[in-house]
Amino acid sequence: MEKTILLIGTLDTKEAEYDYVRELITAKGHRVILVDGGVLSEPTITPNIYAEEVAIAGGSSLTELRAQGNRGFAMNTMSEGVAKITKELYEEGKIHGVMGMGGSGGTALVTYAMHQLPVGFPKLVVSTVASGDVRPYVGDQDIVMMNSVVDIAGLNRISRQILGNAVGAICGMVEQIFPKVKDKPLIATTMFGVTTPCVETFRAEVEKNGYEVLVFHATGNGGQSMETLINDGYIVGVADISTTEWCDELVGGVMTAGPNRLDAAALKGVPQVVSCGALDMVNFGAMNTVPEVFSHREFYKHNSNVTLMRTTPEECAELGKIIAHKLNQAKGPTTMFLPLKGLSAIDQEDQPFYRPEADAALFNAIRKNINKDIVHLIELNYHINDPEFALAMAHHLLNMLKSKKEKEKS
């Protein structure tokens, strides 16, 4: 079946490459909508959506952008225009996949537009920055980034092969037929390596009761992805077991999910149970990457590429305050679970991060700042990885969801 692939590019500098890719996609039996996000000059190939249309959609005009001579402003304007056009085409059902290519600027243009599309919609970009830190481009989306190997600056023996493979990939994605299955309602939960036993016990119990559990690795991107799916309406219930990303946001680690972490379920009114998983640690890379300002702190080498730093009582108190205030926003049923015997696999007796005074500071801050008229607080004399703790969270969330269903029926 013929599909339509949106090609986004800057034809003022990469017209030969886009013309080549368009021909390959057409030869596969699919249609192409080519969007020109370039500013510098008129292309010699004909796009379906011209740069002038993109500039207007972004709130300016091509003449104005060229007259200003401000590359940053021009790229921002064209990015906004391409994003608006992409979203409109998707909402009108006119496209089935998106592809682009470029250096850092072109990649930013293309991926910004891709962020207007839902998870699961085919997205692929061939990029010169694909072998580096791609989080600024991918973020919480399922964007496929293919390393261009050589710069996207003309067609040659290498670039033809890479671009041809990319065409095969995006065509394969839009052609994919998924077997029909009966979808189960989705529960989201967060896991870290040191909270795995808790999450596995929770997941098994909840799935026995007719739900499907999505597990998000709380490494920054995982938390962001979960928040996005909650906001997009995919999730019926949340078990935010591992809230550790707030440690990195507060202290300056490398796995922050940003200041909006814990907002989505609260503001959407999604039933949620929340806990303190791995709030005993801040994450860094290899030991030699830890900032000098932390040289006096307590560390644990998780592996050669991950160094954990123990949170202090003062930091734990601030974390408790932040989490309480986030949950106090809740518009739906919300319960906070405190595991009084420890927050992670290495925060228990005879383990390196066992610091009862730090955990006590966390718990006391939560008790002091939580609004009990909005948030139910449950304290259990278990470690977070004890099966009894996980089962208590599972049964509580299941009861929340049952009550919500009953209210909706009545």
Side-chain angles (χ1 to χ4, degrees):
M1 181 183 294
E2 183 185 67
K3 302 286 186 176
T4 300
I5 295 171
L6 181 67
L7 269 184
I8 301 171
T10 50
L11 303 188
D12 52 358
T13 58
K14 305 197 183 321
E15 57 187 356
E17 295 91 326
Y18 275 91
D19 198 33
Y20 176 69
V21 166
R22 178 166 60 177
E23 289 179 2
L24 291 180
I25 294 174
T26 302
K28 285 274 191 182
H30 299 301
R31 293 183 64 249
V32 172
I33 296 177
L34 180 58
V35 180
D36 183 11
V39 174
L40 299 178
S41 59
E42 298 298 326
T44 59
I45 64 172
T46 303
N48 300 93
I49 299 175
Y50 288 83
E52 179 62 31
E53 297 174 67
V54 174
I56 292 171
S60 186
S61 70
L62 206 54
T63 301
E64 182 181 350
L65 294 178
R66 287 173 177 169
Q68 285 191 9
N70 185 327
R71 185 177 185 275
F73 177 76
M75 286 300 294
N76 287 340
T77 301
M78 299 303 276
S79 293
E80 293 294 340
V82 170
K84 182 179 179 182
I85 289 167
T86 299
K87 186 176 182 181
E88 289 174 352
L89 289 171
Y90 167 76
E91 290 175 345
E92 293 166 2
K94 293 181 177 178
I95 56 173
H96 305 97
V98 179
M99 179 179 166
M101 54 190 132
S104 59
T107 302
L109 174 83
V110 172
T111 55
Y112 185 74
M114 290 176 174
H115 277 268
Q116 312 307 309
L117 303 168
V119 170
F121 191 85
K123 318 168 189 72
L124 184 145
V125 58
V126 182
S127 174
T128 61
V129 298
S131 64
D133 178 10
V134 300
R135 186 176 180 185
Y137 305 102
V138 176
D140 58 4
Q141 271 287 356
D142 58 336
I143 296 170
V144 177
M145 291 193 73
M146 181 179 288
N147 186 14
S148 64
V149 182
V150 295
D151 201 354
I152 301 172
L155 294 170
N156 53 61
R157 185 189 308 174
I158 301 299
S159 64
R160 285 190 183 93
Q161 184 69 52
I162 299 293
L163 295 177
N165 288 342
V167 167
I170 191 66
C171 289
M173 283 191 271
V174 300
E175 292 166 3
Q176 179 64 33
I177 298 173
F178 295 93
K180 291 184 178 180
V181 296
K182 185 177 179 180
D183 289 332
K184 298 177 181 179
L186 296 175
I187 303 275
T189 188
T190 47
M191 185 170 78
F192 220 42
V194 290
T195 62
T196 298
C198 178
V199 175
E200 288 299 309
T201 301
F202 170 88
R203 182 172 65 86
E205 187 67 16
V206 169
E207 290 188 341
K208 282 194 310 187
N209 285 271
Y211 292 90
E212 186 173 354
V213 177
L214 304 182
V215 180
F216 295 88
H217 198 187
T219 55
N221 185 56
Q224 288 179 331
S225 297
M226 184 181 75
E227 300 276 325
T228 296
L229 288 177
I230 294 169
N231 278 323
D232 288 347
Y234 286 96
I235 309 299
V236 301
V238 175
D240 210 338
I241 291 169
S242 310
T243 45
T244 183
E245 288 153 318
W246 262 107
C247 297
D248 294 69
E249 174 67 15
L250 174 67
V251 182
V254 298
M255 293 185 179
T256 174
N260 297 324
R261 182 72 173 84
L262 284 171
D263 282 351
L267 297 177
K268 292 280 287 187
V270 176
Q272 61 174 333
V273 291
V274 182
S275 193
C276 313
L279 287 179
D280 55 321
M281 59 189 64
V282 181
N283 294 270
F284 295 102
M287 184 65 78
N288 61 6
T289 69
V290 178
E292 179 65 24
V293 68
F294 298 121
S295 60
H296 64 291
R297 296 285 294 271
E298 181 180 6
F299 297 99
Y300 175 77
K301 185 178 178 181
H302 185 65
N303 58 48
S304 60
N305 293 313
V306 177
T307 304
L308 308 177
M309 182 176 76
R310 202 353 168 149
T311 45
T312 65
E314 294 76 18
E315 290 163 352
C316 284
E318 185 62 24
L319 288 166
K321 182 179 179 181
I322 291 169
I323 290 171
H325 287 168
K326 287 288 182 178
L327 299 186
N328 289 344
Q329 306 174 97
K331 296 180 179 179
T334 299
T335 299
M336 181 73 197
F337 279 79
L338 302 186
L340 299 181
K341 287 191 174 180
L343 314 177
S344 79
I346 59 173
D347 176 29
Q348 54 188 322
E349 287 190 50
D350 301 321
Q351 290 298 317
F353 276 8
Y354 183 59
R355 299 291 177 271
E357 69 282 4
D359 292 353
L362 172 70
F363 300 148
N364 287 334
I366 291 172
R367 294 181 188 115
K368 179 180 177 181
N369 290 282
I370 211 139
N371 184 340
K372 294 186 177 66
D373 292 330
I374 297 173
V375 183
H376 187 198
L377 182 62
I378 294 179
E379 303 187 30
L380 296 176
N381 197 31
Y382 292 115
H383 185 272
I384 196 165
N385 286 331
D386 287 340
E388 296 87 348
F389 187 82
L391 290 172
M393 292 190 74
H395 295 154
H396 194 84
L397 181 59
L398 289 169
N399 286 333
M400 280 181 171
L401 295 169
K402 182 180 178 181
S403 296
K404 184 179 180 183
K405 283 182 181 178
E406 290 172 351
K407 286 180 182 178
E408 288 171 348
K409 287 180 181 178
S410 62

